Structure formats: structure tokens, C-alpha cells
Amino acid sequence: MPVPLWRLPTEVIALAQETLQLLVSMHRIVRHLRRSRTTTVLHPTQFLALMLIADEQPIRIGEVALRVPCSQPTATTTVAALEQAGLVRREPDPVDGRATAVVLTDTGAETVAASGRQAADELAKLLSRLPEEDQTLVLKAGAALARITDDL
């Protein structure tokens, strides 16, 4: 059913409240997952960059900056810290040999896998507080949210 271009003021207010509730809830869940993370002591920007590199490798630092998102200098510093920790390495870009790309090391891949398992376990604990039908709804919403974030 098409959504009308106009909405009654009460519909606008209700939508705004629901949107805010979703935003606050997602933020609290992400914060909880970050705080419960025991497999890594990475700064949140480093963690996001590591996950991005895992998904997109090989990837240039400029693309890391665009996708995290952060400034180019922050991306450079972040990748340098990940490299120093032995989680990533730089190598010649397969498309342009003059440039460098970033890829995971074996240790980086292990860190990503462990972090993913732990985050999934923690999220499962949170979801277990809900009735089964709400768990299903949340997981289906996750797929829809993933489609939104694919291009971010």
C-alpha cells in the first residue's frame, strides 16, 4: 500500500517517537556489545576499520576513511596501529602497483572471527530476554537494516 505524501500531525509525532526509540535502542545495544567485548582492546574506530578491512580486503586507506567514516589522517593512524598490533599488513594494490592496499594477517582474521563469535553470543543473550516472536522480528529487521547500511 503506497504511503501518502502527507501525514496527520499525530502520525508524524508517532513516527518521530518510534524512530527515536529505535535509534536509542540500537545505540544502547552497540554500546553494550562494545563494553562486553573481551577478545580485543581496540579503540572503536580501529575495530570498525578492522571489520571493514576483513569484508573488503584488499582495500586502500582512502576507502577505509570513506567507509568507516573518518578523516584520511585518522584512517592512516588507525591502519598504522592495526599494523603495529600485527592485525593487518600493507601490500601493493593489485589494481595499481603504485598504491598500497591493506589486508588482514592471520592474527587479524582470528581477531575478527573471535570478535564476531563473542558479539553474536552477547547479542543472543540480549535477544533471549524477548519472546520468540519478537526475536524473529528483530532478526528480520537486522536483514533490512543491513540493506540500508550496505552503502554507508
Side-chain angles (χ1 to χ4, degrees):
M1 168 156 82
V3 177
L5 296 177
W6 57 271
R7 292 183 184 263
L8 297 173
T10 54
E11 291 174 321
V12 172
I13 291 169
L15 181 62
Q17 288 172 334
E18 289 172 352
T19 303
L20 182 59
Q21 181 182 24
L22 175 63
L23 180 64
V24 169
S25 298
M26 288 187 333
H27 177 73
R28 285 180 176 161
I29 290 169
V30 169
R31 186 179 63 201
H32 171 79
L33 293 175
R34 283 182 181 159
R35 286 182 177 166
S36 67
R37 211 172 55 222
T38 58
T39 58
T40 183
V41 291
L42 298 176
H43 181 277
T45 302
Q46 292 172 338
F47 183 75
L48 289 173
L50 186 65
M51 295 300 143
L52 175 65
I53 294 164
D55 287 343
E56 303 291 331
Q57 63 182 326
I59 185 171
R60 290 184 183 185
I61 293 176
E63 186 67 17
V64 171
L66 288 172
R67 301 277 307 278
V68 165
C70 61
S71 69
Q72 179 82 26
T74 297
T76 300
T77 302
T78 298
V79 168
L82 294 173
E83 190 173 25
Q84 187 174 17
L87 302 175
V88 302
R89 70 175 177 277
R90 297 175 205 223
E91 55 186 38
D93 187 307
V95 176
D96 180 356
R98 299 169 297 172
T100 59
V102 184
V103 297
L104 288 182
T105 62
D106 290 342
T107 303
E110 291 167 10
T111 300
V112 167
S115 294
R117 283 190 303 272
Q118 187 199 8
D121 289 347
E122 284 296 324
L123 188 55
K125 288 178 191 173
L126 291 176
L127 289 176
S128 72
R129 299 176 183 178
L130 298 173
E132 190 172 325
E133 59 273 8
D134 285 349
Q135 292 178 34
T136 301
L137 184 64
V138 168
L139 294 173
K140 285 183 179 181
L145 292 171
R147 290 191 297 276
I148 293 171
T149 61
D150 280 345
D151 296 333
L152 298 181

